[in-house]
Amino acid sequence: QIDYTGTEPSSPCNKCLNVSWDSAPPCTCTINFTLEHSFESNVFMYYGLSNFYQNHRRYVKSRDDSQLNGDNSSLLNPSKECEPYRTNEDKPIAPCGAIANSMFNDTLELYRIDNDTRTPITLIKKGIAWWTDKNVKFRNPTGDGNNLTALFQGTTKPVNWPKPVYMLDSEPDNNGFINEDFIVWMRTAALPTFRKLYRLIERKNNLQPTLQAGKYSLDIAYNYPVHSFDGRKRMILSTISWMGGKNPFLGIAYITVGSICFFLGVVLLIIHHKYGNRNTSADIPN
């Protein structure tokens, strides 16, 4: 887990701390780190945010599911739930709403350092979203030719985005509303500290680990400002076992709830033992 917020003066990303949404060119920084142990199986790269309340009621409602599902009428007439990110300069915003407007847009690249030579690690950007989201909930508008530039004509990009939605990716099956980075962001988190899947690193063969122990560097195009709300950003590398990925939240929640239930059970047992057998019926004389 690498924190690259840059609040510490010694951090390479400290120069990017007060970056704005529309900084051009983006601020870049590099953080070197060492893996003490090899990652044997497929590796999942996440980005993590702290003190970011995606669970706020108005934030969660600020979207138009019909628009995201490719409905042409909603594309040009978004839901009022998207206010104040419904229109800009008298044009409807696509995608509208606060969730889309605040989409995470840092770019992360990973390199292995071997004898002062940097070798890029292949990061896979597809397969990171839920199948139901990619194929059911999110669809691009339809029309003649399926040219996204033409289909989104008459709309404008979200205020904080550097480019419109139809330019998120060069590949047609990962562009527009079906861009997987966008889909992952739109699934809001339940807690203010969360992580979202960013990229996949697949194991190439069984003879070598996916990521060998050694020195690595993380190149960051720092576009996403978090300092204004005391947030933090981090990159996480993780693998999965036969039980799934590592997530301590469920374990902590189960132990906490189980402990409370055990404590209440003991208290109720004591109460029942002390007062439960008492005969409260009074003898009524004839």
Side-chain angles (χ1 to χ4, degrees):
Q1 181 168 274
I2 305 297
D3 189 307
Y4 67 93
T5 311
T7 53
E8 299 79 11
S10 59
S11 172
C13 294
N14 180 258
K15 60 182 180 180
C16 304
L17 190 60
N18 295 313
V19 70
S20 60
W21 289 94
D22 55 354
S23 296
C27 184
T28 58
C29 56
T30 299
I31 294 181
N32 297 319
F33 64 96
T34 301
L35 287 182
E36 301 294 339
H37 305 283
S38 297
F39 283 44
E40 299 292 340
S41 59
N42 293 338
V43 178
F44 298 82
M45 175 186 279
Y46 299 85
Y47 61 85
L49 295 175
S50 297
N51 203 34
F52 191 109
Y53 288 82
Q54 271 200 315
N55 56 1
H56 192 283
R57 183 182 62 84
R58 289 189 62 188
Y59 182 90
V60 172
K61 292 176 60 179
S62 187
R63 61 188 293 163
D64 187 343
D65 287 320
S66 296
Q67 185 191 60
L68 298 173
N69 195 242
D71 183 72
N72 288 33
S73 60
S74 297
L75 182 68
L76 299 176
N77 186 26
S79 169
K80 293 183 179 179
E81 295 286 359
C82 288
E83 294 289 1
Y85 301 106
R86 181 172 177 265
T87 60
N88 186 30
E89 298 179 352
D90 296 327
K91 286 186 177 182
I93 295 176
C96 70
I99 307 176
N101 187 64
S102 59
M103 177 181 168
F104 181 83
N105 64 341
D106 282 356
T107 301
L108 307 177
E109 295 179 347
L110 191 63
Y111 295 85
R112 173 171 170 78
I113 302 176
D114 191 8
N115 295 327
D116 295 330
T117 301
R118 300 207 323 161
T119 304
I121 303 297
T122 302
L123 303 177
I124 300 173
K125 59 186 176 183
K126 294 182 181 180
I128 61 175
W130 289 20
W131 186 93
T132 50
D133 287 351
K134 175 78 173 181
N135 297 279
V136 179
K137 292 185 65 176
F138 291 80
R139 309 299 298 168
N140 281 324
T142 56
D144 295 336
N146 289 328
N147 185 323
L148 289 185
T149 304
L151 292 174
F152 282 98
Q153 188 175 5
T155 67
T156 187
K157 66 180 181 63
V159 178
N160 288 338
W161 285 25
K163 53 188 177 183
V165 67
Y166 52 83
M167 295 178 62
L168 290 180
D169 199 286
S170 58
E171 300 182 30
D173 62 344
N174 193 42
N175 201 10
F177 290 156
I178 59 173
N179 177 266
E180 297 203 26
D181 285 327
F182 172 67
I183 294 173
V184 169
W185 177 257
M186 293 299 291
R187 181 168 285 276
T188 54
L191 299 172
T193 297
F194 59 87
R195 65 182 184 179
K196 292 178 182 284
L197 187 57
Y198 180 70
R199 293 293 182 265
L200 303 174
I201 306 174
E202 289 188 344
R203 187 172 187 177
K204 295 180 180 179
N205 56 63
N206 295 326
L207 300 178
Q208 293 183 346
T210 309
L211 292 179
Q212 299 179 4
K215 296 181 179 180
Y216 290 83
S217 66
L218 177 67
D219 284 10
I220 304 149
Y222 199 113
N223 300 306
Y224 201 72
V226 296
H227 184 57
S228 60
F229 57 88
D230 295 327
R232 300 195 72 86
K233 300 190 290 187
R234 61 195 188 280
M235 183 277 297
I236 303 114
L237 295 175
S238 180
T239 57
I240 61 173
S241 66
W242 63 273
M243 294 184 64
K246 180 181 179 182
N247 189 347
F249 171 74
L250 283 178
I252 295 172
Y254 289 156
I255 291 174
T256 302
V257 174
S259 300
I260 293 174
C261 291
F262 177 78
F263 174 75
L264 291 176
V266 171
V267 171
L268 293 174
L269 179 63
I270 294 173
I271 294 175
H272 176 74
H273 180 75
K274 189 172 182 180
Y275 302 104
N277 295 326
R278 177 177 296 178
N279 188 1
T280 58
S281 61
D283 293 331
I284 301 176
N286 294 329

